[in-house]
Amino acid sequence: AAAAARLPASGEAVATREEEQEEEGEEDLRDGGVPFFVNRGGLPVDEPTWERMWRHVARIHPDGERVAERIRGAADLPKIPIPSVPAFQPSTPIPERLEAVQRYIRELQYNHTGTQFFEIKKSRPLTGLMDLAKEMTKEALPIKCLEAVILGIYLTNNMTTLDRFPISFKTHFSGNYFRHIVLGVNFGGRYGALGISRREELMYKAPVFRTLSELIFDFEEAYRRCWHTLKKVKLGHCVSHDPHSVEQIEWKHSILDLDKLSREDFRKELERHARDMRLKIGKGTGPPSPTKDRKKDVSSPQRGQASPHRRNSRGDRR
């Protein structure tokens, strides 16, 4: 909350319902089921949203109204440092670049205020989301997990040998469902992830995993250590490196329900998704290029009836 105190004041926000949380990929490890707000009015923040944020902070913080009064009433709050956007030499190895990007995301800090400062509409074209990511770097406000994914895409656009794709998790703990999203990465055949979370083990994964299933199983084990049971995994396709692309990010190409899959079938579905991404890239259809898609109408590989847990992409439907 202290980091947010440098905000001027925020726009209309709406508490998310459970379905909306699933769509937006929101993650909440500690207080599942508690609505959070989204600033829909842009920046600077307007007065009604600003006041509502502080009322919400008073409700969810253990110290209640005292923490809001202590921060808002202080005349000498420390100046919050603005993290520098990472810049790289052409010779900087990709793994080092990924570490620097993750450090930057971490330095922005996780947003504990209960109000998400940037409205992320998953249906927006990539170019619009990249404009929003640029605004995030200017404002340098605390972020939640979906904002971190958009920022990760923006900061890795010039790493053309790196494949990026969204990974969403749904878990169950103590009667509540929780949702989280990270940006999966693949460099040189090794998988990893970028992101932000309250939990250290649910954020960055260095690109050292030989298979996609190894990466996902590592996340599953991390959830298990938090007493969470992994229920569902959603995998998107590779994201274009063209910041001006008008294509939408494909967030849910594969939807894997662990209650309906054996352990071995789960692993097979993960590896099938990894093969689909490689085939799509090998055929020149991914990361998606809007010009190629319109002119050539290239389809991604069709799936058989044996795998009912996956949705067809737009290319498949065409």
Side-chain angles (χ1 to χ4, degrees), residues 68-194:
E69 291 169 358
R70 187 167 65 247
I71 295 172
R72 301 189 75 179
D76 57 347
L77 286 173
K79 187 173 182 179
I80 304 299
I82 304 297
S84 299
V85 178
F88 309 107
Q89 298 294 327
S91 59
T92 306
I94 294 296
E96 288 184 23
R97 297 188 190 195
L98 292 176
E99 287 182 10
V101 168
Q102 182 63 44
R103 271 196 307 273
Y104 174 77
I105 290 173
R106 191 192 305 265
E107 286 170 0
L108 290 177
Q109 302 181 31
Y110 188 87
N111 180 354
H112 293 277
T113 66
T115 297
Q116 182 174 302
F117 297 126
F118 300 94
E119 183 183 11
I120 309 291
K121 293 184 178 178
K122 287 185 170 181
S123 59
R124 288 188 72 181
L126 185 59
T127 179
L129 292 174
M130 294 303 93
D131 288 342
L132 189 58
K134 189 174 183 180
E135 185 179 0
M136 288 184 212
T137 63
K138 289 180 179 178
E139 300 294 342
L141 295 170
I143 57 176
K144 287 182 172 288
C145 58
L146 183 57
E147 294 162 299
V149 167
I150 301 303
L151 199 53
I153 293 171
Y154 174 74
L155 295 173
T156 57
N157 271 337
N158 61 352
M159 306 179 198
T160 54
T161 57
L162 183 75
D163 300 328
R164 298 91 42 85
F165 57 97
I167 307 172
S168 302
F169 302 97
K170 178 181 178 181
T171 61
H172 185 263
F173 169 71
S174 189
N176 289 310
Y177 288 98
F178 300 78
R179 289 160 182 91
H180 181 41
I181 188 168
V182 296
L183 181 65
V185 296
N186 183 333
F187 173 70
R190 300 285 171 144
Y191 290 88
L194 298 170

Side-chain angles (χ1 to χ4, degrees), residues 8 20 22 32 85 87 112 129 136 210 254 274-275 282 286 305 317:
E20 212 173 302
E22 184 163 4
V85 178
H112 293 277
L129 292 174
M136 288 184 212
R210 294 174 300 171
S254 298
R275 286 197 302 273
Q305 294 300 316
R317 290 199 292 271

Side-chain angles (χ1 to χ4, degrees), residues 46-65:
D46 67 31
E47 192 66 24
T49 303
W50 183 245
E51 293 301 324
R52 184 185 53 203
M53 184 194 80
W54 283 107
R55 288 195 301 270
H56 190 62
V57 167
R59 283 196 301 269
I60 64 177
H61 197 279
D63 290 341
E65 292 183 3

Side-chain angles (χ1 to χ4, degrees), residues 12 24 45 71 131 137 200 241 255 260 269 283 285:
E12 206 216 330
E24 297 305 319
V45 181
I71 295 172
D131 288 342
T137 63
E200 185 72 25
H241 285 272
I255 301 176
K260 299 177 181 178
E269 285 297 317
K283 287 191 171 186
T285 60

